[in-house]
Amino acid sequence: MRKRSRIDWNTSHLIVTGGSSGIGEAVANEATTRGAKVSLIARDADRLEAVGSRIGAQWASADVTDFDAVQRAVEDLQSRSGTCTALVSCAGTALPGRFLDVDVAEFGSQMALNYLGAVHVLRAVLPAMVARGNGSVLLTSSTAGLIGVVGYSGYGPTKAAVHQLAHSLRYEMEPHGITVGVLYPPDTRTPGFDVENARKPPETAAVSGAITPVEPSVVAERR
């Protein structure tokens, strides 16, 4: 079994999904300050260009629910900045609501983005990491994926799936020198969190109201 090594930021090419805002943007910003080459993937091309220009990162617009689009984006970014040596998967959304009140299609859309979005980018970057014999990936789950939270019957199971994906994948990737981590961020002040708060049912708002949200930079510094 190969010995796993810590990230050498000065020689790393980090790809961040969901990199146009929130935790993904903060992670990308933190990585550039540590000397890494950073590439961003998200849907909003205008926002990506603005963030990429500000922090000095490459970017490619893609919807992570579309595997072919993700594959093309990763190939494009690797042609510009070299093979991906580290991945942070941050793309995701939360659409809270009572189980019988939300549109049934939202269960599928959250699973497609939160879980399959992670699967797609992993499938795009892992073959080269395996061939090289090292790499690091970090997936974003949630405490709602570990415990039941009222109002998150659509969101929580998607993050539980990410949790299980990370822990199952860890044992497959370890012999190849690849580390697999999973992040469980607390409530974080992001544009998505604002949208989430606007539709929380009273019970969910009461639960989360006792929690003081943190800034995305706080999560990025500790990832």
Side-chain angles (χ1 to χ4, degrees):
M1 184 179 296
R2 294 179 176 88
K3 183 179 179 180
R4 295 178 295 174
S5 59
R6 295 176 63 85
I7 295 175
D8 180 354
W9 293 103
N10 291 319
T11 61
S12 292
H13 173 205
L14 172 68
I15 291 180
V16 183
T17 66
S20 64
S21 64
I23 293 173
E25 179 182 356
V27 166
N29 185 68
E30 178 70 18
T32 58
T33 65
R34 298 186 188 187
K37 290 184 289 187
V38 176
S39 296
L40 312 174
I41 297 176
R43 288 178 291 188
D44 190 332
D46 292 339
R47 177 71 181 174
L48 272 175
E49 184 174 14
V51 174
S53 297
R54 179 177 60 80
I55 69 174
Q58 299 289 338
W59 60 273
S61 177
D63 185 339
V64 296
T65 67
D66 181 342
F67 174 67
D68 290 336
V70 172
Q71 184 76 55
R72 288 191 298 269
V74 168
E75 290 173 354
D76 177 26
L77 294 169
Q78 291 189 133
S79 71
R80 286 186 263 164
S81 298
T83 302
C84 173
T85 56
L87 166 72
V88 179
S89 174
C90 292
T93 190
L95 303 174
R98 297 185 185 92
F99 181 79
L100 293 178
D101 293 341
V102 299
D103 189 324
V104 70
E106 291 186 350
F107 292 88
S109 65
Q110 288 178 95
M111 186 62 77
L113 177 55
N114 298 346
Y115 174 65
L116 290 178
V119 170
H120 292 162
V121 72
L122 284 167
R123 288 294 296 265
V125 304
L126 280 176
M129 288 185 180
V130 169
R132 194 178 56 249
N134 62 74
S136 176
V137 301
L138 181 66
L139 308 182
T140 305
S141 182
S142 167
T143 52
L146 301 176
I147 60 174
V149 180
V150 62
Y152 284 120
S153 55
Y155 173 72
T158 71
K159 291 303 188 177
V162 172
H163 165 87
Q164 290 294 344
L165 171 63
H167 286 272
S168 299
L169 193 62
R170 177 176 294 157
Y171 300 109
E172 294 187 32
M173 292 297 110
E174 189 173 42
H176 300 288
I178 300 168
T179 62
V180 179
V182 59
L183 180 67
Y184 305 92
D187 283 351
T188 308
R189 289 192 180 93
T190 66
F193 187 60
D194 292 338
V195 173
E196 181 183 340
N197 281 334
R199 54 174 286 165
K200 285 179 179 176
E203 304 94 325
T204 311
V207 170
S208 61
I211 302 169
T212 301
V214 302
E215 296 299 328
S217 59
V218 173
V219 178
E221 289 167 1
R222 288 161 173 75
R223 51 140 300 285

